[in-house]
Amino acid sequence: MSRMIFAAFLVSLVASSVGAMTADVDTDGDGFASMAELQAIYPDLTEEQFLEIDTDGDGLVNDEEMLIAVEAELIADPEGDA
Ligand SMILES: [Ca+2]
Ligand SMILES: [Ca+2]
């Protein structure tokens, strides 16, 4: 029983940390990071880099794309390590 609770806790922990990826960037709260929202955090971000991050090409960066971009070190973790 406690093992089940721990597993559920781990799942929610992972889900919330993934969900937080665009949360710091997503100022209009639509759940996606737009080019303008990303540039507010990363002023040096070029359109080319944005297109690299936006792997499905819908013009918006979702949590998964954001996570992949951070892990691939295309962009820094928006939460920072400082
Ligand atoms: Ca947004
Ligand atoms: Ca996308």
Side-chain angles (χ1 to χ4, degrees), residues 22 25-34 37 60-61:
T22 57
V25 180
D26 180 26
T27 45
D28 66 3
D30 66 354
F32 301 95
S34 65
E37 285 169 343
L60 294 165
V61 173

Side-chain angles (χ1 to χ4, degrees), residues 32-33 50 53-62 65:
F32 301 95
F50 182 82
I53 296 165
D54 179 25
T55 50
D56 66 2
D58 66 355
L60 294 165
V61 173
N62 61 32
E65 289 167 344

Side-chain angles (χ1 to χ4, degrees), residues 7-38:
F9 171 73
L10 275 186
V11 167
S12 69
L13 196 71
V14 169
S16 68
S17 71
V18 169
M21 288 309 293
T22 57
D24 291 341
V25 180
D26 180 26
T27 45
D28 66 3
D30 66 354
F32 301 95
S34 65
M35 174 92 181
E37 285 169 343
L38 279 174

Side-chain angles (χ1 to χ4, degrees), residues 38-46:
L38 279 174
Q39 281 183 326
I41 307 260
Y42 310 106
D44 296 333
L45 185 82
T46 63

Side-chain angles (χ1 to χ4, degrees), residues 49 52-53 66-77 81:
Q49 287 173 302
E52 221 174 307
I53 296 165
M66 187 86 182
L67 189 68
I68 290 166
V70 169
E71 283 185 351
E73 295 181 352
L74 288 171
I75 53 173
D77 187 332
D81 320 284

